[in-house]
């Protein structure tokens, strides 16, 4: 399994707490705002760290998503028009 | 010592920028070298801009129908086939193929939402405004076709509130169409705040959904899930007007107006040191930047041009003059067509000073949401101004580039990235000037009066700043 990590820059208040839990995965800038260093994490240990960082972020800015939620794998729900042949 | 024209202290603050007053009225001007293969449909000179001379209310429905005929009765699959065959790319700045947005939106769940973005946030750009004000029906035809492609019966047209908004012209055009009984979708005109990042797609979509006109942090493309929860397609006004033309002339004839890498013609706005800033031209085929400037009477390459918007790329005039305004050709210069802005820097003016003014303005136009954008952009503006003034130390450059690296990719939207791109392109193209300025010897050009019509950087910024976003 692999997860994708994102930091919502609008919610992030630069507490840098995420970096305490997952220092390899986060770059902090000079103000302490986090920027993800690795977007996709697959080592189980790192996944655990990423999840802990997400749980610790006071603003819910640290987002861990399972890769299966990806656009490419998203189940296609029927749309009134999508059943028509696309040609 | 030189004084920068647009540092915060030099301008009175709290005065809302009157963008209107900064430019002359737009002029619609056909350019002759466009192929004659669209001749049957109107002026052989141009495609989107063909037709009657500019008039206050724009081209009326009767004239439009006599030139273009009604929208051909094509079903959704047919419109999507046109989009695919023409490879129509977005003309708002991103250049994303429209068919991919449409197909993504149809894959997702729920009824898609269609927003035509005619807000044109780029302060000197005029192309969308000219299109909506002078060829409203062509734009509306295209929007109706795109609605068909998406299977939706409502189209939102998003405009900015101020800056010579064509809202009334579009409203009149819509009521004409209704009287005429055209098979149109329901139209909804939305007018939002007149700020730089408010034209960004997620800001537009969020505003139309009832929120503030500020960019959103999105983990999924808007076409998968917009702020309303529905798949949302935001498409530029010029893009949909092209779709209307494609439906009439066919994707092949339309494509042959451009180069293989960027099919179709392209609207550009000239600004800066040209006789009529705000002129909108339609370029087709291998028309070069020199051709566009020659149309305005320029005979020699200027010192440099800024391509693709204020947050664009500088190119030396000599190089730009020969370069066709196509995606591939511009890419060789590290530039992109962006919103089609060509800003001309004359000889004797200082690119570093102009850049400093732009960066200060853009820093003030941050939506005030993302920490690094809020904290970093003003610092970058300080550095740019210090370079322009000649008071920057060589060591500072390393700090500045480190700051630029930190700012890059830090925001919810591409605003900080665009500023960094502009700064990098400035340091790259005007390296000699930068070295001279760093040595404390700015040239005389830095006393040159401001050339580019950069609005005042007088917006207060900061987190929680909710004024002007509703
Ligand atoms: S802990 Fe949360 S708020 Fe703090 S820096 Fe990390 S992501 Fe940002
Ligand atoms: S990056 Fe800047 S402009 Fe973009 S949303 Fe964040 S604060 Fe606003």
């Amino acid at each position: 399994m692999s997860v994708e990590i994102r930091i919502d820059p609008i919610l992030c208040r630069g507490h840098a707490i995420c970096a305490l839990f997952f220092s390899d995965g986060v770059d902090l800038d000079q103000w302490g705002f986090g920027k993800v260093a690795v977007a996709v994490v697959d080592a189980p240990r790192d996944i655990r760290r990423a999840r802990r960082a997400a749980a610790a972020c006071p603003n819910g800015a640290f987002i861990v998503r399972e890769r299966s939620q990806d656009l490419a794998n998203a189940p296609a729900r029927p749309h009134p028009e999508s059943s028509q042949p696309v040609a | 010592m030189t004084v920068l024209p647009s540092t915060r202290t030099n301008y009175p603050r709290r005065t809302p920028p009157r963008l209107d007053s900064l430019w002359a009225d737009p002029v619609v001007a056909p350019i002759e070298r466009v192929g004659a293969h669209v001749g049957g449909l109107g002026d052989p000179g141009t495609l989107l801009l063909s037709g009657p001379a500019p008039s206050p209310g724009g081209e009326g429905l009767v004239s439009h129908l006599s030139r273009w005929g009604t929208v051909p009765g094509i079903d959704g699959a047919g419109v999507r086939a046109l989009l695919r065959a023409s490879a129509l790319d977005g003309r708002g700045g991103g250049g994303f193929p429209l068919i991919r947005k449409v197909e993504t939106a149809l894959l997702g769940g729920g009824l898609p939402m269609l927003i035509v973005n005619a807000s044109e946030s780029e302060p000197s750009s005029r192309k969308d405004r000219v299109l909506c004000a002078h060829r409203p029906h062509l734009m509306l035809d295209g929007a109706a076709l795109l609605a068909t492609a998406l299977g939706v019966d409502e189209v939102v047209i998003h405009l900015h509130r101020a800056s010579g908004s064509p809202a009334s012209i579009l409203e009149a055009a819509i009521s004409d169409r209704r009287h005429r009984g055209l098979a149109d979708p329901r139209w909804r005109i939305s007018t939002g705040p007149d700020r730089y990042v408010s034209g960004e797609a997620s800001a537009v979509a969020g505003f139309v959904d009832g929120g503030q006109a500020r960019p959103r942090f999105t983990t999924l493309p808007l076409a998968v899930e917009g702020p309303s929860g529905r798949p949302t397609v935001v498409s530029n006004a010029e893009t949909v007007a092209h779709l209307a033309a494609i439906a009439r002339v066919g994707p092949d004839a339309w494509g042959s107006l451009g180069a293989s890498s960027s099919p179709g013609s392209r609207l550009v706005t000239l600004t800066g040191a040209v006789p009529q800033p705000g002129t909108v031209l339609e370029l087709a085929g291998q028309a070069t930047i020199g051709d566009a400037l020659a149309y305005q009477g320029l005979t020699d390459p200027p010192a440099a041009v800024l391509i693709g918007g204020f947050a664009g790329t500088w190119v030396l005039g000599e190089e730009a003059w020969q370069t066709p305004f196509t995606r591939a050709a511009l890419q060789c210069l590290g530039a992109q067509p962006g919103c089609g802005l060509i800003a001309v820097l004359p000889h004797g003016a200082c690119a570093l000073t102009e850049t400093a003014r732009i960066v200060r303005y853009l820093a003030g136009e941050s939506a005030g949401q993302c920490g690094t954008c809020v904290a970093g952009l003003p610092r970058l503006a300080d550095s740019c101004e210090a370079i322009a003034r000649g008071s920057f130390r060589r060591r500072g450059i390393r700090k500045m580039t480190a700051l630029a690296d930190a700012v890059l990719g830090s925001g919810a939207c591409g605003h900080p990235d665009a500023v960094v791109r502009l700064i990098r392109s400035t340091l790259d193209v005007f390296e000699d000037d930068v070295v001279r300025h760093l040595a404390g010897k700015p040239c005389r050009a830095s006393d040159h009066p401001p050339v580019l019509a950069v609005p005042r950087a007088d917006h207060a910024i900061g987190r929680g700043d909710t004024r002007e976003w509703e």
Side-chain angles (χ1 to χ4, degrees):
Chain A
M1 192 188 70
S2 64
V3 298
E4 206 177 323
I5 59 175
R6 302 279 304 268
I7 291 178
D8 180 337
I10 296 179
L11 292 179
C12 174
R13 292 287 142 124
H15 300 285
I17 294 168
C18 51
L20 293 179
F21 289 90
F22 190 25
S23 54
D24 300 341
V26 186
D27 283 335
L28 296 178
D29 66 19
Q30 61 192 97
W31 300 278
F33 295 109
K35 184 150 88 173
V36 290
V38 279
V40 177
V41 174
D42 32 30
R45 200 180 125 127
D46 285 342
I47 294 179
R48 271 199 306 279
R49 288 171 164 171
R51 289 201 194 285
R52 253 182 252 140
C57 173
N59 300 310
F62 198 98
I63 297 165
V64 176
R65 272 201 316 171
E66 271 177 39
R67 291 266 280 161
S68 59
Q69 289 178 9
D70 271 2
L71 165 61
N73 305 325
R77 270 169 286 170
H79 175 271
E81 265 227 318
S82 59
S83 53
Q84 292 181 9
V86 180
Chain B
M1 199 184 99
T2 54
V3 179
L4 281 176
S6 98
T7 54
R8 290 177 168 195
T9 42
N10 288 350
Y11 274 114
R13 306 196 54 179
R14 276 181 228 293
T15 330
R18 295 283 314 140
L19 298 185
D20 284 347
S21 56
L22 290 171
W23 296 277
D25 275 337
V27 180
V28 182
I31 180 161
E32 280 312 325
R33 55 161 57 218
V34 183
H37 38 268
V38 287
L41 293 162
D43 188 307
T46 53
L47 187 63
L48 298 193
L49 299 183
S50 63
S55 59
E59 183 180 24
L61 186 54
V62 173
S63 160
H64 170 78
L65 289 176
S66 71
R67 294 199 302 118
W68 290 96
T70 48
V71 182
I74 318 175
D75 65 356
V79 180
R80 290 194 295 273
L82 285 179
L83 287 173
R84 205 169 303 117
S86 61
L88 174 59
D89 56 331
R91 301 298 171 82
F96 195 76
L98 185 53
I99 182 65
R100 288 199 16 224
K101 285 188 191 173
V102 170
E103 283 178 341
T104 309
L106 289 178
L107 267 182
L111 191 68
M113 183 165 182
L114 172 57
I115 304 172
V116 174
N117 188 1
S119 65
E120 197 161 51
S121 308
E122 187 68 41
S124 282
S125 185
R126 285 291 173 274
K127 69 176 181 74
D128 294 338
R129 245 158 290 187
V130 164
L131 200 58
C132 292
H134 294 284
R135 300 289 177 264
H137 291 291
L138 192 63
M139 197 279 276
L140 293 171
D141 282 354
L145 283 165
L146 191 53
T148 308
L150 284 163
V152 298
D153 57 4
E154 189 192 59
V155 180
V156 182
I157 298 171
H158 182 73
L159 303 163
H160 275 177
R161 228 166 262 143
S163 58
S165 161
S168 56
I169 294 174
L170 286 175
E171 270 157 15
I174 286 169
S175 98
D176 284 354
R177 295 168 77 95
R178 199 174 300 132
H179 281 124
R180 184 92 186 197
L182 295 191
D184 269 356
R186 263 177 293 121
W187 303 107
R188 195 174 120 207
I189 292 187
S190 139
T191 50
D194 191 12
R195 295 201 58 174
Y196 194 79
V197 293
S198 294
E200 194 263 350
S202 70
V204 169
F207 180 79
V208 168
D209 188 48
Q212 289 192 344
R214 301 208 246 196
R216 306 289 193 274
F217 174 73
T218 51
T219 52
L220 291 172
L222 289 173
V224 177
E225 190 183 288
S228 57
R230 289 161 61 186
T232 305
V233 172
V234 181
S235 186
N236 169 261
E238 181 193 340
T239 315
V240 300
H242 277 292
L243 176 56
I246 291 167
R248 266 67 168 248
V249 303
D252 295 337
W254 177 81
S256 67
L257 285 176
S260 56
S261 64
S262 45
S265 59
R266 194 173 271 286
L267 297 185
V268 299
T269 311
L270 303 184
T271 189
V274 288
Q276 283 172 303
T279 299
V280 174
L281 301 175
E282 184 169 353
L283 304 187
Q286 298 288 324
T288 62
I289 292 172
D291 291 333
L293 298 181
Y295 186 89
Q296 282 264 292
L298 269 68
T299 50
D300 296 307
V305 290
L306 179 59
I307 296 172
F310 276 169
T313 312
W314 284 107
V315 177
L316 290 178
E318 302 275 349
E319 268 176 297
W321 192 266
Q322 306 295 339
T323 304
F325 201 86
T326 62
R327 189 167 294 282
L330 290 176
Q331 220 147 41
C332 301
L333 305 177
Q336 287 168 350
C339 68
L341 191 72
I342 303 177
V344 177
L345 185 81
H347 292 281
C350 175
L352 303 182
T353 310
E354 298 294 333
T355 302
R357 296 173 57 230
I358 295 173
V359 173
R360 176 62 73 196
Y361 161 69
L362 293 175
E365 286 298 320
S366 157
Q369 304 188 105
C370 310
T372 314
C373 179
V374 173
L377 295 191
R379 294 278 305 279
L380 286 175
D382 293 344
S383 302
C384 290
E385 285 171 0
I387 293 178
R389 240 185 277 124
S391 63
F392 206 54
R393 302 251 188 74
R394 211 171 275 270
R395 230 170 345 122
I397 282 281
R398 214 172 305 134
K399 269 203 191 145
M400 177 185 177
T401 47
L403 182 61
D405 291 343
V407 164
L408 193 70
S410 66
C413 75
H415 186 59
D417 305 10
V419 174
V420 169
R421 260 201 313 274
L422 168 68
I423 291 175
R424 285 185 176 165
S425 124
T426 311
L427 296 182
D428 187 37
V429 171
F430 303 104
E431 202 183 343
D432 299 349
D433 295 331
V434 173
V435 168
R436 227 174 308 121
H437 280 241
L438 288 182
K441 292 185 215 115
C443 57
R444 257 175 299 137
S446 44
D447 287 330
H448 196 282
V451 176
L452 302 183
V454 182
R456 297 174 191 124
D458 59 1
H459 290 298
I461 59 159
R463 289 188 163 210
D465 166 23
T466 57
R467 295 164 306 123
E468 303 177 59
W469 296 109
E470 269 135 23

